[in-house]
Amino acid sequence: MFNWAKLFASALPSGEDYAKLPKTICISILGFVQFDCTAVHSEFAPMEITRHEILSDKQRYHFFELPKLPTIDTIDLTNEKDLWLALFNAETEEELSQLTKGGEVMQQAIEAYKAITANAEFRHLEILRARIKHDEAQAFYNAIFIENKKWQRKSILKYI
């Protein structure tokens, strides 16, 4: 929602009428399951809870949950949305090769992806990203560990 708000707020030049604000859509492609349903795609809009009246047609939030996608060998190669989502979810050369059966646009997208990932700077950034994720996880673990130690000391002091 934060990213949506930044995009929405920056879309209106100073002095313009609020009615000129464009419809702004936030698309999130998730590598985890967020919602308790089988649907891969969920769309949200702010609405009044009792009357189910949409507040505004200016904002939408779309979530695509990759773990809910069917396997690449079972997706419909004529369904463009499923092809693109499968591309985000592909992990092996074999999976990418299967997606090329989706047509010329998918072949071009896969070639562009391979060109970008072959770039040394991209690989360096991927290594940094992975290191940052490990560092964040370690920091979180350390914070929990330190907090647990504090509570253990307090519990021991109660009985002394």
Side-chain angles (χ1 to χ4, degrees), residues 1 10-11 18 23 26 30 46 52 54 58 86 119 128 154:
M1 285 184 158
S10 67
Y18 287 115
K23 184 172 185 175
C26 181
L30 307 177
H52 302 283
I54 300 287
K58 301 280 188 186
N119 179 319
L128 289 177
K154 287 181 182 180

Side-chain angles (χ1 to χ4, degrees), residues 32-48:
F32 55 90
V33 174
Q34 175 70 38
F35 306 108
D36 189 25
C37 66
T38 58
V40 173
H41 174 237
S42 298
E43 179 181 358
F44 294 88
M47 80 166 72
E48 200 286 326

